[in-house]
């Protein structure tokens, strides 16, 4: 008989497991329970050691609770539909994130890509640094140090330092003349009178601001050329024959000894100290010294006619512009006498002073790109007097269009000379186009990013309103040559290279996005921090760590904002949306949100409580995590919403029940389930348990089948143990008991059949 009971127990346990795993109907499940009960009642000595009536009531109520659980659950078809809908929504969210990453990776989608055949470098998007090692190179580390210093001053409330000066200091340590000249140019072009304005576009297109940019560009080109002449002269002192009174005039005179060693044909109006007049005037102007040019004009005034008067007026004007009447006289003289002159320097000087004949590029004189740019910037007009013919007038916007669209990258060999093309765009106040171009050059990307940061910090950068915009774009309503830089994408693409290995450095850059918002109105700093924390998993370093006493140890984020809870809550919400529930629990606890902590812990514990514990198992990890939460909350008197709170501690108790059950401690497990009062174990508690079951959360209900199965296995184990104790009792004494057993079995069977029919009717099966 004992062998039969063991066989029956194993077969029924297997049947129940199969019924759960294969999701059989409620009818099959109840019939299995009924078979189990009838099998138990068939043992001859069962009623002697365990009340059949008590067991009948107990198992009947277990069946009632199971039927109620199933009746409160959604129908199978509805469950599948809800699961499919949830899966579809999750896929849509993930696809939206993938699209954003693809858009970011495609840098300048829709733009002409550069072909750097000589410098083949892999895209940083695919670069993965070695674990534990920084992905930053030495130049990026140097820039990052300056960004850290700048942010430290800002968050500490000190006087705001010049970010341009800090970044330019990096160039001095690189021993790269191109980078040094680039930062010298950036500092020169941004050294303008900044007028506080909420509308950067309005400030940038203002005439005063554009005139200031042109003045700064001319000053940079003139200073650069003067340095070039000095290097040339001091590098050829014997040929230059430098002497006389120090100054620009003597420097140019010596420079011409090298550049024009012999007289050129076609030079007009005589010479001054052995050199033609007009080359001397032109190179004095090219060096930015009008006084030195006036010195030459004065010495040769008898050969120059009215030019001295015109030049003196030009020299004394505030904006390097002749009066309209004088300008018309000079232009008329140029068209009648000088347009076909054989002296290229004389024609160039007249075109500079009179801002005329803009079609002539003066290639004989301005043979370098910088010289050409200097000539054209000198001819730019800002005020329209109505008297200028189209061939004598060029605006800054027209010059910008000519350089960016008409000539473009191919004309300036941008792939071979990226710094030169960057200079052409930047000196014509096309900051956004210059940064976008340089950003697309892999080895120069870090320089472009920090130029953009300097411009953004000075409120001189025009940024895209949408994060999904191209790297360089133009928005409806913008003036013709206005371009906008997708500043958010620039920073996010740059930091993507090292955010996994150097999250602290990435956070420093994200701080520049604290006043930016995405298309949904979300703060970009909080969004980037959220993504950074989740991608790097550096929760403790960035957001702080929870101590044993429940206090929070500050993280790196604390220095950037006083409202750390808002950021931590944002990160926790993102982690929850991505399905990172364990991380979300830790973050919600950091954010002091016990309701969310317990809610997610309940979702984590529910599928795991019935599992067998093992070292390093999922259940063991969740168990330790839950016990830690419970200990901290109880010691600090923290509670959540009543239903969530009670569910959490009930799940912990059920986990204890199953641990005892799986360990074979059936008596201890029975004591636990009896104290929990989850299922009725006596006739008196029937109605109370059935009524209370409706108030349990889904996390508890979903485990009821496992609780029922474990409880019945415990009862059966106790029965077998009691039966073993009475083995050997005389058969003569068992007969009356067997008769009573038969009567009890019949009554119990009838009651269970009625109960089964009643439940089948109520559940509509």
């Amino acid at each position: 008989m004992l062998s039969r009971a063991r066989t029956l127990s194993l077969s029924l346990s297997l049947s129940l497991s199969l019924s759960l795993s294969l999701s059989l109907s409620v009818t099959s499940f109840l019939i299995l329970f009924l078979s189990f009960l009838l099998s138990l009642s068939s043992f001859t000595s069962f009623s002697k050691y365990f009340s059949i009536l008590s067991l009948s009531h107990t198992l009947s109520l277990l069946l009632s609770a199971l039927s109620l659980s199933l009746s409160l659950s959604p129908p199978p078809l509805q469950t599948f539909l809800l699961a499919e809908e949830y899966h579809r929504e999750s896929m849509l969210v993930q696809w939206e994130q993938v699209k954003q990453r693809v858009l970011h990776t495609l840098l300048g989608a829709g733009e002409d890509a550069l072909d750097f055949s000589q410098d083949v470098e892999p895209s940083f998007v695919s670069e993965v640094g070695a674990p534990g090692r920084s992905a930053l190179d030495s130049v990026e580390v140097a820039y990052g140090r300056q960004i850290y210093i700048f942010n430290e001053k800002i968050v500490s409330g000190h006087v705001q330092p010049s970010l341009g000066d800090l970044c330019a200091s990096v160039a001095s340590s690189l021993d790269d003349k191109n980078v040094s000249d680039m930062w010298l140019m950036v500092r020169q072009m941004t050294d303008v009178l900044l007028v506080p304005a909420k509308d950067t576009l309005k400030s940038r297109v203002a005439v005063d601001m554009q005139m200031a940019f042109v003045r700064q560009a001319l000053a940079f080109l003139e200073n650069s050329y003067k340095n070039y002449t000095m290097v040339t002269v001091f590098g050829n002192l014997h040929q230059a024959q430098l002497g006389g009174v120090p100054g620009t005039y003597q420097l140019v005179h010596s420079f011409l000894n090298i550049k024009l060693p012999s007289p050129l044909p076609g030079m007009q109006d005589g010479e001054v100290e052995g050199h033609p007049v007009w080359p001397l005037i032109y190179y004095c102007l090219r060096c930015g010294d009008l006084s030195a040019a006036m010195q030459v004009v004065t010495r040769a005034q008898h050969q120059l006619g009215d030019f001295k008067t015109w030049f003196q007026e030009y020299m004394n004007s505030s904006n390097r512009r002749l009066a309209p009447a004088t300008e018309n006289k000079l232009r008329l003289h140029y068209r009648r006498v000088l347009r076909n002159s054989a002296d290229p320097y004389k024609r160039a000087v007249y075109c500079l002073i009179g801002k005329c004949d803009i079609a002539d590029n003066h290639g004989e004189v301005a043979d370098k790109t910088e010289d050409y740019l200097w000539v054209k910037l000198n001819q730019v007009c800002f005020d329209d007097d109505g008297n200028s013919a189209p061939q004598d007038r060029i605006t800054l916007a027209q010059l910008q269009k000519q350089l960016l669209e008409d000539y473009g990258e191919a004309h300036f060999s941008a792939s071979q000379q990226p710094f030169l093309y960057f200079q052409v765009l930047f000196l014509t106040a096309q900051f956004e186009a210059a940064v976008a171009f340089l950003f697309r050059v892999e080895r120069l990307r870090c320089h472009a990013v920090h130029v953009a940061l300097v411009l953004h910090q000075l409120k001189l950068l025009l940024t895209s309103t949408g994060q999904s915009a191209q790297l360089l774009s133009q928005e409806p309503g913008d003036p013709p040559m206005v371009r906008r830089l997708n500043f958010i994408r620039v920073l996010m693409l740059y930091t993507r290279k090292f955010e996994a290995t150097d999250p602290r450095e990435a956070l420093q850059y994200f701080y520049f996005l604290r006043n930016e918002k995405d298309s949904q109105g979300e703060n970009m700093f909080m969004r980037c921090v959220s993504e950074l924390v989740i991608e790097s998993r550096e929760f403790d370093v960035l957001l702080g760590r929870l101590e044993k006493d429940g206090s929070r140890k500050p993280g790196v984020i604390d220095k950037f904002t006083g409202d750390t809870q808002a950021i931590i809550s944002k990160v926790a919400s993102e982690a929850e949306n991505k399905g990172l529930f364990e991380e979300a629990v830790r973050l919600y606890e950091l954010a002091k949100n016990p309701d969310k902590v317990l809610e997610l812990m309940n979702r984590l514990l529910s599928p795991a409580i019935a599992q067998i514990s093992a070292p390093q198992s999922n259940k063991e990890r969740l168990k330790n995590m839950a016990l830690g939460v419970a200990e901290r909350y109880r010691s600090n008197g923290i509670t959540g919403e009543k239903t969530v709170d009670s569910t959490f501690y009930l799940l912990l108790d059920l986990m204890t029940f199953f641990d005892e059950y799986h360990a074979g401690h059936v008596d201890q497990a029975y004591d636990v389930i009896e104290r929990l009062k989850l299922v009725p174990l006596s006739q008196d508690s029937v109605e109370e348990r059935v009524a209370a079951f409706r108030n349990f959360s889904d996390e508890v209900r979903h485990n009821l089948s496992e609780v029922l199965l474990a409880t019945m296995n415990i009862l059966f184990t106790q029965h077998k143990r009691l039966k073993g104790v009475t083995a050997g009792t005389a058969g003569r004494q068992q007969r009356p008991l067997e008769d009573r057993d038969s009567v009890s079995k019949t009554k119990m069977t009838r009651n269970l059949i009625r109960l089964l029919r009643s439940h089948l009717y109520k559940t509509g099966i």
Side-chain angles (χ1 to χ4, degrees):
M1 189 64 68
L2 184 61
S3 175
R4 176 186 173 188
R6 288 176 179 173
T7 303
L8 179 61
S9 176
L10 291 174
S11 64
L12 288 173
S13 298
L14 179 60
S15 299
L16 287 170
S17 300
L18 288 173
S19 68
L20 290 173
S21 62
L22 298 176
S23 300
L24 294 178
S25 65
V26 178
T27 304
S28 302
F29 197 74
L30 292 175
I31 290 174
L32 287 173
F33 269 92
L34 182 60
S35 301
F36 180 76
L37 182 59
L38 293 174
S39 298
L40 282 179
S41 64
S42 64
F43 295 113
T44 56
S45 304
F46 180 79
S47 59
K48 184 176 182 179
Y49 307 105
F50 204 92
S51 170
I52 293 179
L53 184 59
S54 174
L55 181 62
S56 173
H57 287 311
T58 300
L59 295 181
S60 297
L61 293 174
L62 291 176
L63 291 168
S64 301
L66 177 62
S67 178
L68 180 59
S69 173
L70 294 172
S71 66
L72 293 176
S73 301
L77 179 59
Q78 183 181 357
T79 302
F80 283 121
L81 291 176
L82 290 174
E84 290 178 358
E85 179 66 19
Y86 179 78
H87 177 70
R88 188 181 70 85
E89 292 178 357
S90 300
M91 291 295 292
L92 288 175
V93 171
Q94 293 178 9
W95 172 235
E96 187 64 31
Q97 295 171 352
V98 170
K99 285 196 296 184
Q100 290 295 330
R101 291 182 179 178
V102 171
L103 285 173
H104 291 170
T105 305
L106 292 179
L107 297 180
E111 303 170 14
D112 293 333
L114 290 177
D115 180 18
F116 293 102
S117 55
Q118 296 180 352
D119 301 308
V120 180
E121 301 182 19
S123 171
F124 76 90
V125 175
S126 61
E127 290 180 0
V128 179
R133 297 183 59 184
S134 173
L136 295 167
D137 59 32
S138 58
V139 179
E140 292 164 342
V141 168
Y143 275 127
R145 189 176 299 115
Q146 302 307 316
I147 296 298
Y148 170 79
I149 294 173
F150 178 79
N151 284 337
E152 281 292 305
K153 297 290 185 181
I154 297 296
V155 299
S156 301
H158 295 131
V159 177
Q160 180 173 304
S162 170
L163 183 59
D165 292 344
L166 290 173
C167 291
S169 66
V170 174
S172 60
S173 63
L174 297 180
D175 193 25
D176 188 330
K177 187 177 184 304
N178 287 324
V179 177
S180 298
D181 290 345
M182 181 198 74
W183 278 111
L184 186 63
M185 176 185 62
V186 172
R187 293 170 65 189
Q188 178 86 33
M189 289 295 293
T190 56
D191 187 18
V192 294
L193 181 61
L194 299 175
V195 180
K198 295 182 179 179
D199 189 352
T200 304
L201 175 61
K202 186 175 180 180
S203 175
R204 279 281 301 275
V205 299
V207 174
D208 290 342
M209 182 66 77
Q210 292 195 337
M211 291 178 67
F213 287 144
V214 171
R215 283 197 301 270
Q216 294 301 101
L218 288 171
F220 172 77
L221 290 169
E222 290 163 357
N223 290 333
S224 298
Y225 198 82
K226 188 173 183 178
N227 291 334
Y228 164 71
T229 59
M230 291 177 66
V231 170
T232 303
V233 168
F234 284 100
N236 300 273
L237 286 175
H238 178 71
Q239 186 178 359
Q241 298 179 4
L242 182 63
V245 179
T248 304
Y249 169 75
Q250 194 60 44
L251 179 67
V252 170
H253 189 277
S254 301
F255 177 71
L256 289 178
N257 288 336
I258 302 171
K259 190 170 183 66
L260 302 175
S262 58
L264 294 177
M267 297 293 102
Q268 299 177 358
D269 300 328
E271 296 180 349
V272 174
E273 295 186 3
H275 285 298
V277 171
W278 293 109
L280 279 171
I281 296 174
Y282 173 83
Y283 285 112
C284 286
L285 292 175
R286 184 67 182 86
C287 292
D289 195 333
L290 298 180
S291 298
M294 190 65 192
Q295 184 178 348
V296 179
V297 172
T298 301
R299 292 189 180 188
Q301 58 183 323
H302 299 296
Q303 291 93 357
L304 304 182
D306 293 332
F307 182 78
K308 180 180 179 182
T309 305
W310 296 337
F311 186 75
Q312 195 164 11
E313 180 182 335
Y314 175 84
M315 179 179 173
N316 295 329
S317 65
S318 59
N319 58 351
R320 288 192 182 185
R321 183 76 186 269
L322 295 173
T326 307
E327 195 170 70
N328 287 335
K329 289 180 183 179
L330 186 147
R331 290 175 176 176
L332 181 61
H333 178 71
Y334 175 82
R335 285 195 294 269
R336 288 179 176 178
V337 180
L338 299 179
R339 174 171 292 182
N340 298 318
S341 172
D343 190 337
Y345 290 97
K346 185 175 183 178
R347 285 189 283 108
V349 171
Y350 265 83
C351 287
L352 291 172
I353 304 302
K355 299 184 185 296
C356 57
D357 199 9
I358 60 174
D360 190 350
N361 292 332
H362 305 283
E364 308 97 317
V365 176
D367 55 347
K368 297 288 196 310
T369 300
E370 294 88 342
D371 300 326
Y372 165 81
L373 197 58
W374 177 77
V375 169
K376 291 305 176 184
L377 285 170
N378 267 296
Q379 293 179 314
V380 167
C381 298
F382 292 97
D383 51 346
D384 187 7
D385 54 13
N387 297 323
S388 299
Q391 67 270 19
D392 293 331
R393 176 177 171 78
I394 183 171
T395 64
L396 181 59
Q398 289 172 335
L399 179 60
Q400 291 172 337
K401 181 179 184 301
Q402 188 180 68
L403 297 173
L404 180 64
E405 298 180 359
D406 298 342
Y407 291 162
E409 299 174 12
H411 177 83
F412 294 99
S413 301
S415 59
Q416 285 75 40
Q417 304 178 84
F419 282 107
L420 177 63
Y421 188 59
F422 175 82
Q423 182 185 81
V424 167
L425 297 177
F426 206 87
L427 289 175
T428 52
Q430 301 185 85
F431 304 144
E432 296 75 20
V435 170
F437 161 74
L438 203 64
F439 185 81
R440 289 157 49 202
V441 183
E442 181 82 21
R443 58 189 174 86
L444 305 178
R445 180 165 292 141
C446 63
H447 303 303
V449 169
H450 292 87
V451 171
L453 289 174
V454 171
L455 293 169
H456 182 266
Q457 185 262 330
L458 294 173
K459 301 188 186 311
L460 290 175
L461 187 69
L462 293 174
T463 58
S464 306
T465 55
Q467 185 191 352
S468 60
Q470 294 181 6
L471 198 64
L472 187 67
S473 62
Q474 188 174 24
E475 298 184 358
D478 286 345
M481 285 311 299
V482 167
R483 297 291 187 273
R484 293 177 181 269
L485 182 73
N486 194 329
F487 178 67
I488 295 175
R489 189 196 292 188
V490 165
L491 274 191
M492 294 181 71
L493 281 171
Y494 177 66
T495 55
R496 183 177 299 174
K497 172 185 177 182
F498 56 87
E499 61 185 12
T501 58
D502 304 87
R504 299 189 194 188
E505 285 70 18
L507 188 61
Q508 298 287 340
Y509 287 93
F510 290 150
Y511 188 58
F512 284 88
L513 299 177
R514 60 190 179 276
N515 297 321
E516 302 290 333
K517 296 185 182 298
D518 63 8
S519 55
Q520 286 77 38
E522 183 180 358
N523 184 276
M524 283 305 304
F525 175 61
M526 294 183 64
R527 174 178 167 180
C528 290
V529 169
S530 174
E531 294 178 358
L532 174 66
V533 173
I534 292 175
E535 291 295 329
S536 66
R537 302 298 178 92
E538 295 284 355
F539 301 102
D540 296 343
V541 173
L542 297 176
L543 301 180
R545 183 175 68 248
L546 200 66
E547 302 290 1
K548 292 183 178 180
D549 60 357
S551 63
R552 174 179 167 273
K553 182 179 180 180
V556 179
I557 192 65
D558 287 77
K559 70 171 62 175
F560 294 108
T561 177
D563 190 10
T564 55
Q565 283 197 10
I567 293 183
I568 297 174
S569 297
K570 165 65 179 172
V571 178
S573 178
E574 287 293 325
E576 181 183 0
N577 293 336
K578 291 178 180 292
L580 305 174
F581 297 129
E582 293 184 42
E583 290 80 359
V585 167
R586 296 171 55 190
L587 294 170
Y588 278 126
E589 192 171 5
L590 275 178
K592 302 186 184 303
N593 190 342
D595 288 342
K596 292 297 295 184
V597 171
L598 298 180
E599 176 190 332
L600 292 179
M601 279 305 313
N602 292 343
R603 293 171 64 179
L604 289 169
L605 290 175
S606 180
I609 59 173
Q611 298 174 1
I612 299 176
S613 293
Q616 308 299 322
S617 66
N618 179 57
K619 178 181 178 179
E620 193 68 20
R621 185 181 69 257
L622 292 175
K623 177 182 176 181
N624 294 333
M625 185 178 181
L627 291 175
V629 171
E631 181 181 355
R632 286 190 294 271
Y633 278 12
R634 282 185 171 172
S635 61
N636 293 286
I638 300 174
T639 58
E641 192 269 327
K642 184 177 180 180
T643 304
V644 178
D645 193 81
S646 60
T647 298
F648 173 68
Y649 290 107
L650 178 56
L651 289 174
L652 280 181
D653 291 336
L654 284 175
M655 184 173 286
T656 302
F657 163 73
F658 279 107
D659 286 346
E660 297 288 0
Y661 168 68
H662 290 308
H665 305 151
V666 292
D667 294 332
Q668 292 88 332
Y670 184 85
D671 291 340
V672 172
I673 200 66
E674 186 177 25
R675 288 196 304 270
L676 292 181
K677 299 180 179 180
L678 181 64
V679 293
L681 297 176
S682 66
Q683 178 64 33
D684 298 338
S685 61
V686 174
E687 298 297 332
E688 179 186 352
R689 297 295 175 271
V690 172
F693 183 76
R694 295 181 178 273
N695 298 323
F696 289 132
S697 65
D698 289 339
E699 288 82 7
V700 176
R701 292 178 185 176
H702 292 162
N703 286 281
L704 185 61
S705 58
E706 294 290 346
V707 173
L708 293 173
L709 180 60
T711 303
M712 285 191 293
N713 281 336
I714 290 171
L715 293 175
F716 183 61
T717 302
Q718 289 178 332
H719 158 68
K720 289 195 298 181
R721 185 176 60 196
L722 290 173
K723 181 180 178 182
V725 171
T726 59
T729 303
R732 203 172 33 230
Q733 297 174 350
Q734 294 178 7
R735 177 65 59 183
L737 292 177
E738 290 178 358
D739 294 338
R740 289 195 297 271
D741 284 347
S742 299
V743 175
S744 298
K745 283 190 296 181
T746 303
K747 291 181 179 180
M748 182 187 65
T749 303
R750 290 173 180 172
N751 290 335
L752 286 175
I753 291 174
R754 293 193 193 101
L755 180 63
L756 176 59
R757 288 174 177 173
S758 174
H759 282 293
L760 294 177
Y761 175 77
K762 289 179 181 179
T763 55
I765 300 175

